[in-house]
Amino acid sequence: MACKYKGNIIKRSNIMKSNETLITIEGLEELKSELEELKLVKRKEISEKIKAALAFGDISENAEYDEAKNEQAIVEARISKLEIMIKNAKVIKTTKKNGVINIGSKVKIKDLEFDEEMEYTIVGSAEADPFKGRISNVSPLGEALLGKKIGQIIEVDSPAGDKIKYEILTV
């Protein structure tokens, strides 16, 4: 199936749906695990807290009840969000394409100013966690790395406004 875009015909499959969640197979499994934990364990815990708070009687000035209901709302919102993310998940296949960095690639880069090496995996924004070495494909560094190869130097704008140069060491 094709559609017209600014005079060009392009395949509809090349247009990412705005609700798609780009994710690795590992990230998808983590989301499913979190969803299961929230549904089977956390819901039950909150239900018990609500029952205990109701046992105190009048709920109009019952802080425990209010806290449990707030926690319930947060958990239910997270469950809803996870279900949507899982439903719209598009699993990223981690393939090596001639040393070109893609979503799913694991890269080692070197900060040329501080002579510091870092290792990251480029992932979709749903599973990005810089503390675990997973950066989003839409982050400034992630975007700059996509499509590049070993040996190339990239420049990334820092939050302070200056440019940081990195050398790509491995893919």
Side-chain angles (χ1 to χ4, degrees):
M1 187 176 266
C3 66
K4 224 171 166 129
Y5 178 73
K6 293 189 180 183
N8 297 322
I9 295 182
I10 54 177
K11 290 182 182 174
R12 188 175 301 275
S13 61
N14 291 339
I15 302 172
M16 187 178 128
K17 297 175 189 134
S18 62
N19 60 352
E20 250 180 15
T21 302
L22 295 176
I23 196 161
T24 62
I25 191 72
E26 296 85 10
L28 182 59
E29 292 306 316
E30 286 177 18
L31 291 182
K32 286 179 179 179
S33 178
E34 181 184 353
L35 180 61
E36 185 176 337
E37 170 78 14
L38 289 174
K39 283 183 164 183
L40 300 178
V41 177
K42 202 68 173 160
R43 271 183 174 165
K44 194 176 284 187
E45 288 174 3
I46 294 170
S47 176
E48 293 301 319
K49 286 182 184 179
I50 291 172
K51 282 182 192 175
L54 286 172
F56 292 128
D58 183 18
I59 62 169
S60 64
E61 295 182 21
N62 188 330
E64 289 85 4
Y65 178 78
D66 290 340
E67 185 179 326
K69 290 301 278 182
N70 286 337
E71 187 179 357
Q72 182 182 43
I74 291 167
V75 167
E76 291 303 322
R78 181 66 180 160
I79 287 171
S80 178
K81 183 177 180 177
L82 288 171
E83 287 175 336
I84 290 168
M85 290 170 69
I86 291 168
K87 178 183 170 201
N88 296 314
K90 180 178 182 199
V91 176
I92 303 163
K93 293 182 176 78
T94 53
T95 58
K96 294 187 178 183
K97 292 185 179 179
N98 302 330
V100 176
I101 299 171
N102 293 298
I103 298 174
S105 295
K106 186 176 228 172
V107 299
K108 186 185 278 188
I109 58 174
K110 181 178 181 179
D111 182 322
L112 296 177
E113 182 180 348
F114 295 105
D115 198 36
E116 182 181 342
E117 291 184 8
M118 297 154 280
E119 196 167 276
Y120 295 109
T121 302
I122 312 296
V123 296
S125 58
E127 64 180 308
D129 185 347
F131 297 110
K132 292 182 179 177
R134 300 186 312 206
I135 59 171
S136 169
N137 63 310
V138 295
S139 69
L141 181 56
E143 274 187 11
L145 287 167
L146 290 175
K148 303 298 187 294
K149 293 182 176 186
I150 294 172
Q152 286 188 283
I153 308 269
I154 60 168
E155 284 188 359
V156 179
D157 290 326
S158 76
D162 40 330
K163 299 230 184 251
I164 303 172
K165 289 185 179 184
Y166 298 97
E167 179 182 0
I168 301 167
L169 303 176
T170 63
V171 178

CSV table of all heavy atoms in Angstrom, one decimal, residues 4 24 39 45 50 65-66 73 83 89 98 100 110 131 136 139 146 156 160:
chain,number,residue,atom,x,y,z
A,4,LYS,N,0.5,9.3,-1.0
A,4,LYS,CA,1.2,10.4,-1.5
A,4,LYS,C,1.7,11.4,-0.4
A,4,LYS,O,0.9,11.7,0.4
A,4,LYS,CB,0.3,11.1,-2.5
A,4,LYS,CG,1.0,11.4,-3.8
A,4,LYS,CD,0.0,11.9,-4.8
A,4,LYS,CE,0.9,12.5,-5.9
A,4,LYS,NZ,0.7,12.2,-7.2
A,24,THR,N,13.1,-3.1,22.2
A,24,THR,CA,13.8,-4.4,21.9
A,24,THR,C,13.0,-5.5,22.5
A,24,THR,O,12.1,-5.3,23.4
A,24,THR,CB,15.2,-4.3,22.6
A,24,THR,OG1,15.1,-4.2,24.0
A,24,THR,CG2,16.1,-3.2,22.0
A,39,LYS,N,-0.5,-6.0,38.1
A,39,LYS,CA,-1.8,-6.5,38.1
A,39,LYS,C,-2.0,-7.6,39.2
A,39,LYS,O,-3.0,-7.6,39.9
A,39,LYS,CB,-2.1,-7.2,36.7
A,39,LYS,CG,-2.5,-6.2,35.7
A,39,LYS,CD,-2.8,-6.9,34.4
A,39,LYS,CE,-3.5,-6.0,33.4
A,39,LYS,NZ,-3.9,-6.7,32.2
A,45,GLU,N,-2.1,-5.7,47.0
A,45,GLU,CA,-1.6,-4.9,48.1
A,45,GLU,C,-2.4,-3.7,48.4
A,45,GLU,O,-2.7,-3.4,49.6
A,45,GLU,CB,-0.1,-4.5,47.9
A,45,GLU,CG,0.9,-5.6,48.0
A,45,GLU,CD,2.3,-5.2,47.6
A,45,GLU,OE1,2.5,-4.0,47.3
A,45,GLU,OE2,3.2,-6.1,47.5
A,50,ILE,N,-6.7,-0.5,51.3
A,50,ILE,CA,-8.0,0.2,51.3
A,50,ILE,C,-9.0,-0.5,52.3
A,50,ILE,O,-9.6,0.2,53.1
A,50,ILE,CB,-8.6,0.2,49.9
A,50,ILE,CG1,-7.8,1.1,49.0
A,50,ILE,CG2,-10.1,0.6,49.9
A,50,ILE,CD1,-8.2,1.1,47.5
A,65,TYR,N,-6.8,6.0,54.0
A,65,TYR,CA,-7.7,5.7,52.8
A,65,TYR,C,-7.3,6.6,51.6
A,65,TYR,O,-7.2,6.1,50.5
A,65,TYR,CB,-9.1,6.0,53.3
A,65,TYR,CG,-10.1,5.7,52.1
A,65,TYR,CD1,-10.5,4.4,51.8
A,65,TYR,CD2,-10.7,6.8,51.5
A,65,TYR,CE1,-11.4,4.2,50.8
A,65,TYR,CE2,-11.6,6.6,50.4
A,65,TYR,CZ,-12.0,5.3,50.1
A,65,TYR,OH,-12.9,5.1,49.1
A,66,ASP,N,-7.2,7.9,51.9
A,66,ASP,CA,-6.8,8.8,50.8
A,66,ASP,C,-5.5,8.4,50.1
A,66,ASP,O,-5.4,8.4,48.9
A,66,ASP,CB,-6.7,10.3,51.3
A,66,ASP,CG,-8.0,10.9,51.7
A,66,ASP,OD1,-9.1,10.3,51.2
A,66,ASP,OD2,-8.0,11.8,52.5
A,73,ALA,N,-4.8,4.9,42.0
A,73,ALA,CA,-4.9,5.7,40.8
A,73,ALA,C,-3.6,5.7,40.0
A,73,ALA,O,-3.6,5.5,38.8
A,73,ALA,CB,-5.4,7.1,41.1
A,83,GLU,N,-0.2,-1.3,29.1
A,83,GLU,CA,-1.0,-2.1,28.1
A,83,GLU,C,-1.0,-1.4,26.8
A,83,GLU,O,-0.9,-2.1,25.7
A,83,GLU,CB,-2.5,-2.2,28.7
A,83,GLU,CG,-2.6,-3.1,29.8
A,83,GLU,CD,-4.0,-3.2,30.5
A,83,GLU,OE1,-4.7,-2.2,30.3
A,83,GLU,OE2,-4.3,-4.2,31.1
A,89,ALA,N,3.6,-2.1,20.5
A,89,ALA,CA,5.0,-2.4,20.5
A,89,ALA,C,5.4,-2.8,19.1
A,89,ALA,O,4.8,-3.6,18.4
A,89,ALA,CB,5.4,-3.4,21.5
A,98,ASN,N,26.8,-3.8,8.3
A,98,ASN,CA,28.1,-3.2,7.9
A,98,ASN,C,28.6,-2.2,8.9
A,98,ASN,O,29.2,-1.2,8.5
A,98,ASN,CB,27.9,-2.6,6.5
A,98,ASN,CG,27.4,-3.6,5.5
A,98,ASN,OD1,27.7,-4.8,5.6
A,98,ASN,ND2,26.7,-3.1,4.5
A,100,VAL,N,27.1,-0.1,10.7
A,100,VAL,CA,26.3,1.2,10.8
A,100,VAL,C,25.4,1.1,12.0
A,100,VAL,O,24.8,0.1,12.3
A,100,VAL,CB,25.4,1.3,9.5
A,100,VAL,CG1,24.5,2.6,9.7
A,100,VAL,CG2,26.3,1.4,8.3
A,110,LYS,N,34.0,7.6,22.6
A,110,LYS,CA,35.0,8.3,23.4
A,110,LYS,C,34.7,9.8,23.4
A,110,LYS,O,34.7,10.4,22.3
A,110,LYS,CB,36.4,8.0,22.9
A,110,LYS,CG,37.5,8.6,23.7
A,110,LYS,CD,38.8,8.1,23.0
A,110,LYS,CE,40.0,8.7,23.7
A,110,LYS,NZ,41.3,8.2,23.1
A,131,PHE,N,21.2,5.3,33.0
A,131,PHE,CA,22.0,4.7,34.1
A,131,PHE,C,22.3,3.3,33.9
A,131,PHE,O,23.2,2.7,34.5
A,131,PHE,CB,21.2,4.9,35.5
A,131,PHE,CG,21.0,6.3,35.9
A,131,PHE,CD1,19.8,6.9,35.8
A,131,PHE,CD2,22.1,7.1,36.2
A,131,PHE,CE1,19.6,8.2,36.2
A,131,PHE,CE2,22.0,8.4,36.6
A,131,PHE,CZ,20.7,9.0,36.6
A,136,SER,N,18.0,6.7,24.3
A,136,SER,CA,16.9,6.8,23.3
A,136,SER,C,17.4,7.2,21.9
A,136,SER,O,18.3,8.0,21.8
A,136,SER,CB,15.9,7.8,23.8
A,136,SER,OG,15.0,8.1,22.8
A,139,SER,N,17.1,11.0,21.6
A,139,SER,CA,18.0,11.8,22.5
A,139,SER,C,19.0,12.5,21.5
A,139,SER,O,19.3,12.0,20.5
A,139,SER,CB,18.7,11.0,23.5
A,139,SER,OG,19.7,10.2,23.0
A,146,LEU,N,23.0,7.6,15.2
A,146,LEU,CA,22.3,6.8,14.1
A,146,LEU,C,22.8,7.0,12.7
A,146,LEU,O,23.0,8.1,12.3
A,146,LEU,CB,20.8,7.1,14.1
A,146,LEU,CG,20.0,6.6,15.4
A,146,LEU,CD1,18.5,7.1,15.3
A,146,LEU,CD2,20.0,5.1,15.5
A,156,VAL,N,27.7,16.8,19.4
A,156,VAL,CA,26.4,16.8,20.1
A,156,VAL,C,26.3,18.1,20.9
A,156,VAL,O,27.2,18.4,21.6
A,156,VAL,CB,26.2,15.5,21.0
A,156,VAL,CG1,24.8,15.6,21.6
A,156,VAL,CG2,26.4,14.3,20.2
A,160,ALA,N,24.3,22.8,28.2
A,160,ALA,CA,24.8,24.1,28.4
A,160,ALA,C,25.0,24.9,27.1
A,160,ALA,O,25.3,26.1,27.2
A,160,ALA,CB,26.2,24.0,29.1
